Amino acid sequence: MLSQAIEDYLKTIHKLEDDGAVATTRIAKELNISGASVTGMLKRLSTMGLVDYNSYKGVRLTDTGTKVALEIIRHHRLLELYLKEKMGYSLEKVHEEACRLEHHISDDFVNKIDDMLGNPEFDPHGHPIPSKAGEMPKSEEPPLSSIDPGQIVIIKRLSDAEPDMLAYFEKMGMIPGAKIKVIDKAPFNGPITIYLETKKNIIGSEIASNIFVEYPVN
């Protein structure tokens, strides 16, 4: 059994390592702890064979570390969907609640949730759910802020970093599956005018940069 702290580190490194080896300072900022504490834990994880750590080059997960991280992410995202669909939690609340529960449930329990929900591919924010085999596709959809006026797109996923922003998304109906047409974009990161389904809205560029979209299938 790995401790909750170790699992949180592995999940955080997995989140950050898309850009290559992860610097200690990035992990410290993400987890809101001191750099010295991070360094100590990374040395421990290295001796356990869960990460490859070099104080000058940063840290990467080993294959074993990646497997553990994906198991925790699978727990988390299936719990989020269960909380949303079966228990009526709001989008802003599911992340925090899933964080509390993800370390304390068995794989068998998670698989039963998976079966109950019909083996879903995405969590309520639109993020992919790792499979039982530990496979997860990359999410590379562009942000709404990069879409040119006149284009029609579908919301694919939402950033879940800010609960207040998620509450706003849900209140406005800007959720995965919603259709958006970009009408106008003010220069210098100014506001963006859109049609959300059939309703005209004006949103800030920061909001738009946290909404990731895909073009509808014809």
Side-chain angles (χ1 to χ4, degrees):
M1 291 288 293
L2 299 177
S3 69
Q4 178 174 331
I6 288 175
E7 291 179 344
D8 283 340
Y9 266 87
L10 298 177
K11 187 173 70 170
T12 298
I13 295 168
H14 185 276
K15 173 184 176 180
L16 298 175
E17 70 177 355
D18 285 346
D19 298 329
V22 184
T24 301
T25 52
R26 292 187 68 198
I27 299 171
K29 182 179 180 180
E30 186 74 17
L31 294 175
N32 194 29
I33 55 179
S34 71
S37 296
V38 172
T39 298
M41 177 61 86
L42 294 182
K43 290 178 178 178
R44 180 183 175 192
L45 296 179
S46 180
T47 62
M48 296 171 69
L50 297 171
V51 303
D52 290 323
Y53 173 58
N54 182 297
S55 58
Y56 298 103
K57 297 181 180 179
V59 63
R60 285 182 177 273
L61 296 176
T62 62
D63 289 344
T64 302
T66 298
K67 181 176 183 294
V68 175
L70 287 173
E71 286 175 355
I72 298 302
I73 293 169
R74 174 175 166 81
H75 286 199
H76 182 92
R77 293 181 178 176
L78 280 168
L79 280 167
E80 285 187 327
L81 192 60
Y82 178 82
L83 291 166
K84 174 65 176 170
E85 292 198 355
K86 300 298 183 180
M87 300 188 70
Y89 275 66
S90 63
L91 279 182
E92 65 175 313
K93 298 293 186 183
V94 294
H95 177 73
E96 183 179 353
E97 197 67 41
C99 282
R100 296 192 186 101
L101 297 170
E102 64 190 22
H103 306 284
H104 307 293
I105 57 175
S106 66
D107 288 339
D108 183 58
F109 186 88
V110 170
N111 290 336
K112 289 185 183 300
I113 291 178
D114 189 25
D115 291 340
M116 180 187 300
L117 295 174
N119 311 117
E121 296 182 13
F122 302 97
D123 74 7
H125 307 109
H127 299 276
I129 297 172
S131 69
K132 293 179 184 178
E135 299 172 346
M136 183 170 69
K138 292 285 186 180
S139 297
E140 299 178 344
E141 298 84 10
L144 178 61
S145 56
S146 70
I147 302 301
D148 293 329
Q151 299 296 310
I152 297 174
V153 292
I154 301 291
I155 296 177
K156 181 66 173 178
R157 59 187 173 92
L158 306 169
S159 169
D160 59 3
E162 297 289 341
D164 289 346
M165 190 176 291
L166 284 171
Y168 174 77
F169 289 149
E170 191 163 35
K171 178 182 178 181
M172 298 296 292
M174 291 188 289
I175 58 176
K179 182 182 291 187
I180 287 177
K181 182 175 182 179
V182 178
I183 304 301
D184 186 47
K185 292 171 66 175
F188 309 111
N189 295 319
I192 299 172
T193 304
I194 63 171
Y195 273 114
L196 176 61
E197 298 295 349
T198 59
K199 185 177 179 181
K200 189 175 182 179
N201 287 274
I202 298 176
I203 61 175
S205 60
E206 182 181 357
I207 291 290
S209 68
N210 283 276
I211 300 171
F212 300 88
V213 299
E214 62 181 358
Y215 291 98
V217 177
N218 294 326

